[in-house]
Every structure is written in C-alpha cells, then in structure tokens.
C-alpha cells in the first residue's frame, strides 16, 4: 500500500512541476515576442524618421 500512495503523490507533484515549467516557458516566449515586436516598431520608426530627414534635406 505504501508504494501505491507514494506513486500517486510523486505523479501529482511531477505533473504539477511539468505544468509550472510549461506555463513558465509560455510566459517566457510571450515576453520575447513582445520585446521583439517593440524592437521592430522602434526600428521602423527610426527608419521612417531617417527617410523623412533625408527627404527634407534633399528638397532644400
């Protein structure tokens, strides 16, 4: 009987740990995606600003 109880407890804890790791990984991937999206926006805005400045300098 003792071995059966230990197995159930171990299975419960290992499945909880597995879920925590899976949720942590999903959160980490989401944060990376958000960071990359912000970097892409900043890059696009910087390129647009450079293009606007070079267009203004060429017109003068």
């Amino acid at each position: 009987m003792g071995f059966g109880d230990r197995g159930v407890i171990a299975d419960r804890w290992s499945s909880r740990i597995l879920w925590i790791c899976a949720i942590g990984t999903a959160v980490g991937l989401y944060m990376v995606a958000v960071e990359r999206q912000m970097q892409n926006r900043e890059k696009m805005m910087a390129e647009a600003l450079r293009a606007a400045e070079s267009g203004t300098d060429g017109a003068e």
Side-chain angles (χ1 to χ4, degrees):
M1 281 191 215
F3 291 114
D5 292 339
R6 282 187 191 169
V8 171
I9 291 170
D11 288 344
R12 284 183 186 166
W13 276 109
S14 58
S15 68
R16 286 178 186 168
I17 291 169
L18 183 64
W19 274 109
I20 290 169
C21 290
I23 291 169
T25 301
V27 169
L29 289 173
Y30 173 77
M31 292 175 69
V32 167
V34 168
E35 180 67 25
R36 286 187 180 172
Q37 194 174 33
M38 284 180 13
Q39 288 175 353
N40 287 339
R41 282 186 191 151
E42 289 174 359
K43 184 178 175 183
M44 286 174 49
M45 289 173 61
E47 288 175 358
L49 183 61
R50 275 190 225 122
E53 286 178 352
S54 65
T56 307
D57 291 343
E60 292 177 348

